[in-house]
Amino acid sequence: MTLKVHHIGYLVKKIDAAISSFEKLGYHITQDKVYDDIRKVNICFMEKDGYCIELVSPAAEDSVVSGLMKRYKNSPYHICYETDDFEKDYMTLVSDGFVAIDTPTPAPALGGREVVFLTSAVMGMIELIKG
Ligand code: NI
């Protein structure tokens, strides 16, 4: 497997306020807010010193992150890894004990590229994105 860190996913309750706060720390927007209607979240990408963060904010009561938001509040919650061999690496991770928590689905905030979320008993959640 050759995985490359793509971004760190960061849960935020109030996305506009969070964007302003990250800007004060020196982050700049690399992709303005996008509404993901599959997951019912607003997403914004920001960058600082080569580190890319993805702000994810619930846009509805039944968004995919509403449960996580209650548990974690404002917090980083996944690292996304990019792979040129999506299907193979996905299968390898599953056979290594990662459990898929959804199926590969296009991500509107990432140009429609396929992503899947997996969880590990010892690592928590990761995201895999097709390179
Ligand atoms: Ni992500």
Side-chain angles (χ1 to χ4, degrees):
M1 271 193 297
T2 311
L3 304 179
K4 235 180 86 187
V5 174
H6 186 273
H7 64 261
I8 295 167
Y10 215 108
L11 271 179
V12 293
K13 188 164 188 170
K14 298 175 181 167
I15 195 162
D16 293 320
I19 290 168
S20 303
S21 281
F22 276 109
E23 279 174 339
K24 283 179 191 144
L25 295 184
Y27 288 80
H28 63 272
I29 293 175
T30 54
Q31 189 200 267
D32 217 340
K33 258 191 313 183
V34 169
Y35 176 62
D36 180 332
D37 61 347
I38 299 170
R39 298 171 183 84
K40 299 186 186 173
V41 293
N42 283 306
I43 290 176
C44 175
F45 282 92
M46 300 184 84
E47 192 260 355
K48 176 177 167 58
D49 307 329
Y51 291 92
C52 179
I53 59 169
E54 172 195 41
L55 305 186
V56 181
S57 187
E61 285 288 316
D62 59 344
S63 81
V64 290
V65 296
S66 293
L68 291 172
M69 192 78 232
K70 283 190 188 109
R71 221 156 81 214
Y72 298 140
K73 313 287 183 196
N74 300 301
S75 172
Y77 74 112
H78 71 262
I79 297 179
C80 177
Y81 299 92
E82 184 174 19
T83 168
D84 289 333
D85 206 342
F86 185 81
E87 283 75 19
K88 184 163 166 267
D89 288 346
Y90 176 36
M91 287 305 134
T92 304
L93 287 167
V94 168
S95 67
D96 284 350
F98 281 82
V99 178
I101 54 180
D102 58 4
T103 52
T105 314
L110 290 161
R113 289 159 72 181
E114 267 192 307
V115 302
V116 66
F117 283 88
L118 303 112
T119 184
S120 145
V122 292
M123 269 175 66
M125 203 188 317
I126 67 165
E127 178 181 18
L128 196 66
I129 181 170
K130 200 170 194 167

